[in-house]
Amino acid sequence: MWTAYLILTVLLLILTILPKIQHSHWIFRVPEFGKIQITVFILLTLLLGFITPDKSPYFWYFQALLFVMLIHHSVILVKYTPLYPVKKYTQKYQSSEKLHFISANVYQFNTEYDRFIKLVEKHRPEMFLTMESNGDWEKALRPLEKDYPYQHKVTLENTYGMHFYSKIEIEDSRTHYFVADDIPSIEAHLKTKDGFSFVFFGVHPPPPSPTEEETSKERDGDLLSTAKRVREIKKPVIVVGDFNNVAWSKSSILFRKTSHLIDPRIGRSFVSTFHAKYRLLRFPIDLMFHSEEIFIENLKTLENFGSDHLPVYCEFFIDHEQDEKQAERIDHATKDEKAEAEEMIEEGKRENGERDAVVTEG
């Protein structure tokens, strides 16, 4: 038992240290995703130590190390729980009507189209975004177009297709290819019937992983390019999608600071989405950020519809009178952080992602 305790302690120390090394290779970036699970294992290993027989003379040093790691991770994670104090705001007479959206990575090879259609029909959001949606998904979703007459479609067969459907009028929309010509982002300018304008951004950068991109350069460059574009927009903004990132990573924090947006998970919950089939190995990688004029009433995951991601459901309203109260939640990038963001954007553009035009499941 002592050997198992020692191996676990060393492994958890390595997984804690690796993300601190600012290298873009997936080996250093992937452990960021599992911070919740790592924290749980640290706690369990700490408790295991107390019941381990034949303890080493260095036992208390190892226990102290585990305790320090537990505090380190907990201080970061507690911000994304209801234990962290964040002021809540209520809808006022000058606010917009409540609006709702669903963001879902549908998984390109998932053919249970009807389950997703029924999910949309059940929750009836004013808008929804699909990622990994290819030609088959576009065709399958056509029955919804009568209720969602405004659309922006980017149909790709490389698992980076993206479709946006809305009941709210789209006044203008465009597709961005910030760092690669096969990784799109959608920018849609909408105006509600009660006269509130806002911008909806859909993003889906590639993940750093042993099976996809070797580094996080394209992901980070794409997200920070989006952040720069957001700063140019003088309307309320929502950025949502499969970020293939976690809110506490350095690049996510840099995105938040560069864009001057708010992370609604802070003071609320993790909203873990991937992997949909494995509850204990689920990471919060489908993120959203919003400007100070956007007020979140509800943010949660919905039921699984056959994808490897759970869909995200959000209820919000727009209020230009209360925005100054929420502006205190915005962090601003320092001069050095702005320079670092620019460097990461350029690195992302130079990176040559190895994606096939058409991807097959395998």
Side-chain angles (χ1 to χ4, degrees), residues 183-213:
I183 301 294
S185 299
I186 290 176
E187 175 186 337
H189 293 246
L190 301 97
K191 188 171 185 178
T192 65
K193 290 183 178 179
D194 53 352
F196 287 83
S197 296
F198 67 100
V199 179
F200 187 101
F201 256 97
V203 300
H204 182 205
S209 79
T211 58
E212 296 199 46
E213 297 306 309

Side-chain angles (χ1 to χ4, degrees), residues 53-76:
D54 304 321
K55 296 180 175 64
S56 161
Y58 300 102
F59 167 73
W60 287 110
Y61 292 102
F62 289 119
Q63 287 292 84
L65 177 61
L66 287 166
F67 183 73
V68 169
M69 288 193 290
L70 180 65
I71 296 300
H72 166 73
H73 290 292
S74 298
V75 167
I76 294 171

Side-chain angles (χ1 to χ4, degrees), residues 101-106 128-132 160-164 184-186 200-206 219 222-223 226 238-247 252 255 261 263-265 270-274 283-290 299 301 309-314:
F101 71 78
I102 289 174
S103 169
N105 183 322
V106 297
F128 67 90
L129 174 74
T130 63
M131 291 153 287
E132 290 201 29
Y160 289 96
M162 188 179 293
H163 293 68
F164 179 64
S185 299
I186 290 176
F200 187 101
F201 256 97
V203 300
H204 182 205
R219 180 199 69 184
D222 190 73
L223 291 176
T226 301
I238 292 173
V239 182
V240 64
D242 177 3
F243 278 58
N244 279 311
N245 206 353
V246 283
S252 278
F255 170 88
L261 296 181
D263 183 353
R265 281 171 166 74
F270 298 121
V271 195
S272 298
T273 55
F274 177 88
F283 312 130
I285 63 174
D286 293 85
L287 306 181
M288 76 161 290
F289 296 84
H290 62 88
L299 182 66
T301 56
H309 288 244
L310 294 176
V312 174
Y313 175 85
C314 180

Side-chain angles (χ1 to χ4, degrees), residues 56-304:
S56 161
Y58 300 102
F59 167 73
W60 287 110
Y61 292 102
F62 289 119
Q63 287 292 84
L65 177 61
L66 287 166
F67 183 73
V68 169
M69 288 193 290
L70 180 65
I71 296 300
H72 166 73
H73 290 292
S74 298
V75 167
I76 294 171
L77 292 178
V78 74
K79 290 181 64 177
Y80 303 93
T81 73
L83 297 175
Y84 190 80
V86 172
K87 187 175 180 180
K88 302 295 189 295
Y89 297 91
T90 57
Q91 192 176 18
K92 305 292 185 182
Y93 71 91
Q94 73 273 22
S95 306
S96 73
E97 295 293 326
K98 288 183 180 178
L99 302 170
H100 312 78
F101 71 78
I102 289 174
S103 169
N105 183 322
V106 297
Y107 183 55
Q108 181 172 301
F109 307 103
N110 173 24
T111 59
E112 298 186 64
Y113 311 117
D114 288 342
R115 289 180 67 183
F116 181 73
I117 290 172
K118 288 177 181 177
L119 181 139
V120 172
E121 291 174 340
K122 174 183 176 181
H123 295 280
R124 297 182 296 177
E126 281 75 23
M127 65 209 98
F128 67 90
L129 174 74
T130 63
M131 291 153 287
E132 290 201 29
S133 41
N134 61 354
D136 290 338
W137 268 96
E138 181 180 323
K139 182 179 179 181
L141 294 176
R142 283 176 187 165
L144 291 173
E145 292 184 6
K146 65 181 184 298
D147 294 323
Y148 295 86
Y150 306 101
Q151 303 125 27
H152 186 103
K153 302 175 181 178
V154 188
T155 307
L156 298 173
E157 301 295 333
N158 64 351
T159 71
Y160 289 96
M162 188 179 293
H163 293 68
F164 179 64
Y165 297 81
S166 176
K167 296 179 179 179
I168 302 170
E169 180 184 0
I170 298 177
E171 294 187 314
D172 182 35
S173 64
R174 65 196 73 173
T175 304
H176 295 285
Y177 296 92
F178 288 121
V179 299
D181 59 8
D182 59 349
I183 301 294
S185 299
I186 290 176
E187 175 186 337
H189 293 246
L190 301 97
K191 188 171 185 178
T192 65
K193 290 183 178 179
D194 53 352
F196 287 83
S197 296
F198 67 100
V199 179
F200 187 101
F201 256 97
V203 300
H204 182 205
S209 79
T211 58
E212 296 199 46
E213 297 306 309
E214 185 175 307
T215 75
S216 65
K217 290 180 180 179
E218 278 192 311
R219 180 199 69 184
D220 298 341
D222 190 73
L223 291 176
L224 290 166
S225 295
T226 301
K228 280 188 65 178
R229 171 59 188 153
V230 166
R231 291 293 300 128
E232 298 171 356
I233 298 172
K234 306 304 178 185
K235 298 177 184 178
V237 179
I238 292 173
V239 182
V240 64
D242 177 3
F243 278 58
N244 279 311
N245 206 353
V246 283
W248 47 79
S249 75
K250 181 178 180 179
S251 55
S252 278
I253 293 171
L254 193 55
F255 170 88
R256 177 165 54 84
K257 289 182 175 183
T258 303
S259 63
H260 294 184
L261 296 181
I262 296 166
D263 183 353
R265 281 171 166 74
I266 294 176
R268 191 180 299 271
S269 65
F270 298 121
V271 195
S272 298
T273 55
F274 177 88
H275 195 288
K277 295 180 181 179
Y278 310 113
R279 184 180 295 273
L280 297 180
L281 294 175
R282 192 171 290 170
F283 312 130
I285 63 174
D286 293 85
L287 306 181
M288 76 161 290
F289 296 84
H290 62 88
S291 59
E292 65 266 31
E293 304 93 345
I294 304 288
F295 293 81
I296 307 302
E297 287 276 287
N298 192 10
L299 182 66
K300 63 181 181 180
T301 56
L302 298 178
E303 58 269 27
N304 187 9

